[in-house]
Amino acid sequence: MSTKVVDLRSDTVTKPSEAMRAAMAAADVDDDVLGTDPTAHRFEAEMARMMGKEAALFVPSGTMANLISVLVHCDTRGSEVILGDNSHMHIYENGGMSTIGGIHPRTVSNNPDGTMDIDKIVAAIRHQGALYYPTTRLICLENTQGNCGGKCLSVEYTDKVGEVAKAHGLKLHIDGARIFNASVALGVPVDRLVRAADSVSVCLSKGLGAPVGSVIVGSKAFIQKAKIARKTLGGGMRQVGVLCAAAHVGVRDTVGKLADDHRRAKVLAVGLKKIKQLTVDLSSVETNMVYFDITDPQISPAKLCQVLEQRNVLAMPVSSKSVRLVIHYQISDSDVQHALTCIEEAVEEILSGNAKFEHLTNGATTNSYGN
């Protein structure tokens, strides 16, 4: 049995590269809460330029990045946000906009391709002055859309939503946790892809491989308010240049590897489709995520993931019949082939009745799949 762990639970599981560790050790730092960390300043300026926005702000997590953005755009309690019913912000971020911001989420159904129908977005808008309703102030998109399989929202669609927002006096925020995956897959420069947005959150610790952090981009006025919200939420950090240095290496070195991640995801999907007891929609694999369903009632996702873990392949069950696999830059071509072999062997072992199931604690059998 291979001793190497092939971890396909998420692209958040990558370990810092040697280049990242060296950059962290050598980072020129100061107190970022006081606004004097030079490495943080340089990184934020770089991200703002790359994303085509005026300014940027480093924050500890994607959840905080999205919450700050919502709080700034919806600075009146009782405001309403339109977002997808299957979106990360709605399902996996602990209801922060409601519990902390007093902001009401109004969901519109996500289509299988990750979009929300434009006419449904328009129908969901509620204007100020109505006696019975909260006032809509923000529309949120997610690109790529994780729960829909890492689907990419096109620049044309995003522009249309931006036009709707402007026409109704609303703001548009994009949860761009994997926006670089979308940019690479679509062949559209990332700044063009988010041009219609008033704010964008970008996760640095998913496909880009940094150990910690996200960045928010927007106008200078928006970012100034975001700094205040970050401090309020406890997200102000001192010598944060240590983390920004690693994130810079991730952006510099890893964006160019995302196309390989997408290619390997397609290879993985093709291999899974050859296993009789599994089904996968090859057309749904657009970026680095592969979802597959188990058709044999003798095999549950939890059982399959337990047996895979015994073979040092980590996967994540996402429903009573589905498993999610995520490719990242630390997964090689040989890792993909090894994972396919192990999945096929695990299926056979479970069907033969020889599989041993134990209580495993490293995350392979828990439903913590919001990343």
Side-chain angles (χ1 to χ4, degrees):
M1 184 181 297
S2 173
T3 58
K4 178 185 179 181
V5 175
V6 178
D7 196 339
L8 301 172
R9 290 173 297 171
S10 179
D11 47 8
T12 61
V13 301
T14 56
K15 308 301 188 291
S17 66
E18 290 303 314
M20 288 179 187
R21 294 175 188 272
M24 294 171 78
D28 183 13
V29 297
D30 205 325
D31 192 326
D32 189 53
V33 175
L34 299 180
T36 54
D37 190 297
T39 302
H41 282 185
R42 286 193 298 269
F43 179 67
E44 288 168 345
E46 175 190 11
M47 291 304 297
R49 177 193 58 77
M50 187 176 293
M51 302 298 293
K53 304 300 181 184
E54 291 180 351
L57 184 69
F58 184 90
V59 298
S61 72
T63 295
M64 184 180 285
N66 287 330
L67 178 58
I68 287 172
S69 299
V70 172
L71 292 175
V72 172
H73 289 309
C74 302
D75 56 359
T76 301
R77 290 181 67 85
S79 297
E80 187 167 73
V81 175
I82 294 172
L83 73 173
D85 67 340
N86 209 13
S87 65
H88 194 283
M89 289 179 66
H90 181 59
I91 298 176
Y92 299 121
E93 298 185 9
N94 214 238
M97 68 174 71
S98 299
T99 57
I100 295 173
I103 297 161
H104 185 254
R106 182 162 168 84
T107 60
V108 172
S109 58
N110 281 113
N111 297 314
D113 66 356
T115 64
M116 299 177 283
D117 290 343
I118 298 292
D119 60 345
K120 291 181 180 179
I121 293 175
V122 173
I125 295 171
R126 302 197 276 201
H127 292 286
Q128 190 170 4
L131 179 60
Y132 300 104
Y133 306 128
T135 300
T136 306
R137 288 190 167 85
L138 179 65
I139 302 171
C140 295
L141 300 177
E142 181 181 336
N143 199 8
T144 64
Q145 217 294 347
N147 270 4
C148 293
K151 298 293 180 57
C152 303
L153 304 188
S154 70
V155 66
E156 294 81 8
Y157 173 79
T158 305
D159 285 350
K160 287 180 182 177
V161 177
E163 291 168 4
V164 168
K166 286 184 179 180
H168 291 270
L170 311 178
K171 299 298 185 181
L172 173 61
H173 171 71
I174 295 177
D175 174 2
R178 296 180 175 92
I179 192 68
F180 282 95
N181 290 87
S183 171
V184 169
L186 294 169
V188 177
V190 68
D191 61 331
R192 177 64 189 91
L193 195 54
V194 302
R195 184 180 296 170
D198 296 284
S199 60
V200 186
S201 62
V202 181
C203 187
L204 303 162
S205 60
K206 289 189 169 72
L208 300 183
V212 179
S214 285
V215 68
I216 313 168
V217 297
S219 68
K220 290 179 180 178
F222 170 85
I223 293 299
Q224 187 56 44
K225 293 178 181 178
K227 286 182 181 179
I228 298 171
R230 182 184 68 176
K231 181 62 176 174
T232 302
L233 295 173
M237 296 179 287
R238 300 297 177 175
Q239 286 71 41
V240 75
V242 171
L243 299 179
C244 291
H248 168 75
V249 173
V251 174
R252 183 193 71 196
D253 293 353
T254 315
V255 172
K257 300 176 182 178
L258 294 177
D260 282 334
D261 292 347
H262 301 170
R263 175 183 58 79
R264 291 185 179 109
K266 289 181 172 64
V267 171
L268 180 60
V270 169
L272 291 168
K273 194 173 179 65
K274 295 177 181 177
I275 300 174
K276 180 181 177 182
Q277 295 80 7
L278 311 180
T279 62
V280 58
D281 179 4
L282 297 181
S283 66
S284 71
V285 182
E286 296 183 0
T287 53
N288 65 325
M289 292 185 178
V290 180
Y291 285 73
F292 66 87
D293 290 341
I294 301 172
T295 58
D296 193 308
Q298 299 178 76
I299 307 170
S300 71
K303 286 181 178 179
L304 180 62
C305 290
Q306 282 192 19
V307 177
L308 285 174
E309 184 173 1
Q310 294 164 13
R311 288 168 164 76
N312 289 328
V313 174
L314 305 185
M316 190 170 283
V318 294
S319 74
S320 61
K321 66 174 184 177
S322 300
V323 175
R324 187 189 79 168
L325 306 174
V326 184
I327 301 293
H328 48 81
Y329 83 100
Q330 292 178 345
I331 296 296
S332 66
D333 290 333
S334 61
D335 290 335
V336 170
Q337 294 304 319
H338 176 67
L340 285 169
T341 298
C342 289
I343 292 170
E344 188 169 13
E345 291 175 350
V347 167
E348 293 173 356
E349 183 176 342
I350 293 171
L351 293 178
S352 71
N354 294 324
K356 296 179 181 179
F357 302 109
E358 302 173 359
H359 178 66
L360 303 173
T361 59
N362 76 353
T365 60
T366 61
N367 289 332
S368 55
Y369 44 85
N371 294 313

